């Protein structure tokens, strides 16, 4: 009898250790097959200080499962896990085809989460779902929030300076006081503290509160708190710069002050979570998985087939090799009534991945615009047409200080984003980027992405590029927008220009 009991305990230990090993093997296979996605995530974690936290997410998720998730329970099927895997696969394909990295990475992380359920079962997946939700902090997204965070920070700073009776004026993200001009740059927008507050509040909400309404409320309060903290920090930095005597150094002292200020804010956030925490839950008494629930490799085979199918479809359809000739030169747009002059010497967009570039200055009567055309033989990894690396300013002599929207006749009345740029000698430009693909024009990057998605899902990847039009203004951006609209309404159809530039 004793021998039978010992053998059963040994078998149970083998059952419980086999599942983590199989999950590890599945995760390694997933990363290996879809390695470009994983590589891009790790590259961003390494290169951007806003996303260094990505390296901590996986170990913290395991800790959350160990401390809060409880033990695995009987499998109870894997239907929900495979449904989640299908959803992840769909997101990954859509992200790949449209070139939207965030969607692609959401799909990748969803596949990782789904693999947990495929190994341990749907019941355990549901039990661990709150902890596994932390995995999504691995995704290096949030760049789209930067402008909103800059606006919020600038508004808080201006309000606090006005309350402190400090003379202040604002021009986009430039704030002027008697102490000088201060820019709420992208690095000062608060994306890092916003992400850090999100991670901290997620963990606190999970371990401190037992009801989802309280967890969601605390998570929302933490987001607002992070925005307010960053605004107050920027206000104190600007206020200190205007004090008589020794001023706060804008280099090392600024960084040290910010770190100490953020640390104090996070300490307060943790204390707030503990202050309103619920009583700890009862000890976990759920039974371990039974012997009959031991996972065999054949049960994970469909998941591996899905992952391999994604890689094959991506290589054969979405990113199939394309050899297409590059035009020897890129002709300019015809614009009746406009005189074409050489391009400006002190402004040009940053479009390093284009296969061909051409630029010119167009003038007519009292209107002048600067135009830069880009041509990509096809959209591809490292040479994307719509990318954060392709923008209307170089970041050195010119920088973006605001954004507005406008309706241009060529854009079919869509609300199109326009960059407001500040340059040397207090110059201001409004710059609008129009996208084209296979001769069709698209007024916004999202419409361009949608067009690329339709093409690449069917194995097509036509030439494309951008048409960036900029104009100067003295007092209000509307002056420049009027000049851009006049030029766009006078140019030839994009289809005719495209046909003329085919090699």
């Amino acid at each position: 009898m004793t021998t039978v009991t010992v053998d059963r305990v040994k078998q149970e230990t083998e059952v419980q250790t086999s599942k983590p090993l199989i999950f590890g093997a599945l995760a390694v296979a997933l990363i290996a097959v879809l390695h470009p996605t994983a590589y891009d995530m790790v590259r961003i974690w390494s290169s951007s200080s806003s996303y260094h936290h990505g390296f901590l997410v996986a170990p913290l998720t395991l800790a959350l499962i160990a401390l809060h998730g409880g033990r695995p329970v009987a499998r109870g099927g894997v239907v929900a896990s495979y449904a989640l895997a299908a959803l992840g696969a769909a997101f990954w394909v859509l992200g790949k085809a449209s070139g939207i990295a965030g969607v692609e990475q959401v799909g990748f992380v969803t596949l990782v989460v789904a693999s947990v359920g495929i190994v341990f079962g749907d019941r355990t997946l549901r039990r661990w779902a709150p902890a596994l939700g932390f995995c999504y902090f691995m995704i290096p997204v949030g760049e789209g929030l930067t402008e909103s965070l800059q606006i919020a920070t600038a508004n808080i700073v201006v309000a606090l300076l006005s309350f402190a009776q400090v003379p202040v004026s604002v021009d986009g993200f430039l704030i002027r006081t008697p102490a000088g001009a201060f820019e709420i740059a992208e690095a000062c927008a608060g994306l890092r503290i916003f992400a850090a507050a999100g991670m901290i509040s997620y963990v606190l909400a999970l371990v401190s509160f037992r009801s989802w309404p309280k967890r969601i409320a605390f998570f929302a309060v933490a987001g607002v708190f992070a925005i307010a903290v960053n605004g107050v920090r920027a206000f104190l930095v600007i206020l200190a710069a205007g004090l008589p005597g020794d001023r706060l150094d804008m280099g090392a002292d600024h960084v040290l002050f910010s770190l100490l200020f953020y640390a104090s804010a996070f300490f307060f956030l943790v204390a707030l979570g503990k202050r309103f925490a619920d009583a700890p839950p009862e000890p976990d008494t759920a039974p371990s998985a039974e012997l009959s629930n031991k996972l065999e490799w054949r049960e994970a085979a469909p998941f591996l087939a899905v992952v391999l199918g994604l890689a094959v479809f991506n290589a054969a359809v979405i990113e199939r090799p394309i050899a297409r000739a590059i035009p020897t030169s890129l002709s300019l747009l015809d614009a009746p009534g406009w005189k074409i002059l050489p391009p400006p010497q002190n402004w040009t967009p940053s479009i390093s991945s284009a296969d061909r570039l051409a630029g010119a200055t167009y003038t007519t009567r009292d209107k002048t615009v600067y135009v830069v055309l880009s041509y990509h033989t096809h959209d591809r990894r490292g040479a994307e047409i719509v990318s954060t690396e392709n923008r209307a300013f170089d970041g050195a002599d010119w920088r973006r200080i605001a954004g507005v929207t406008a309706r241009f006749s060529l854009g079919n009345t869509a609300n199109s984003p326009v960059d407001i740029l500040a340059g040397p000698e207090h110059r201001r430009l409004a710059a609008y980027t129009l996208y084209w693909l296979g001769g069709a024009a698209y007024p916004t990057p999202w419409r361009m992405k949608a067009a690329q998605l339709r093409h690449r899902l069917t194995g097509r990847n036509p030439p494309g590029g951008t048409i960036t039009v900029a104009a100067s203004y003295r007092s209000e951006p509307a002056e420049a927008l009027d000049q851009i609209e006049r030029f766009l309404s006078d140019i030839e159809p994009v289809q005719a220009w495209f046909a003329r530039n085919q090699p």
Side-chain angles (χ1 to χ4, degrees), residues 10 13 52 124-125 156 160 190 228 244 263 390 445:
K10 182 178 179 182
T13 302
H52 287 341
T124 299
L125 179 65
I156 293 172
L160 292 176
N390 297 336

Side-chain angles (χ1 to χ4, degrees), residues 201 205 209 211-225 269 272:
S201 62
F209 306 113
S211 71
W212 277 106
K214 290 184 71 173
R215 288 172 175 173
I216 294 171
F218 182 76
F219 193 70
V221 167
V224 175
F225 175 74
L269 188 63
L272 185 68

Side-chain angles (χ1 to χ4, degrees), residues 18 28 31 101 105 113 135 151 202 218 221 230 284 304 318 369 389 418 422 478 492:
S18 66
V28 169
I31 293 172
Q105 292 159 6
V113 173
C135 289
I151 293 172
Y202 190 96
F218 182 76
V221 167
N230 190 63
D284 180 23
L304 292 175
I318 298 176
V369 297
E389 302 298 322
V418 180
E492 65 179 318

Side-chain angles (χ1 to χ4, degrees), residues 359-404:
T361 300
Y362 289 75
T363 64
T364 179
R365 298 181 183 177
D366 59 339
K367 301 185 185 302
T368 299
V369 297
Y370 313 114
V371 181
V372 174
L373 309 168
S374 75
Y375 185 103
H376 293 69
T377 59
H378 61 289
D379 190 86
R380 56 200 183 274
R381 186 180 179 86
E384 295 85 357
I385 300 171
V386 182
S387 167
T388 56
E389 302 298 322
N390 297 336
R391 52 192 187 179
F393 58 99
D394 58 14
D397 294 331
W398 291 88
R399 62 192 186 280
R400 186 177 184 275
I401 62 169
V404 297

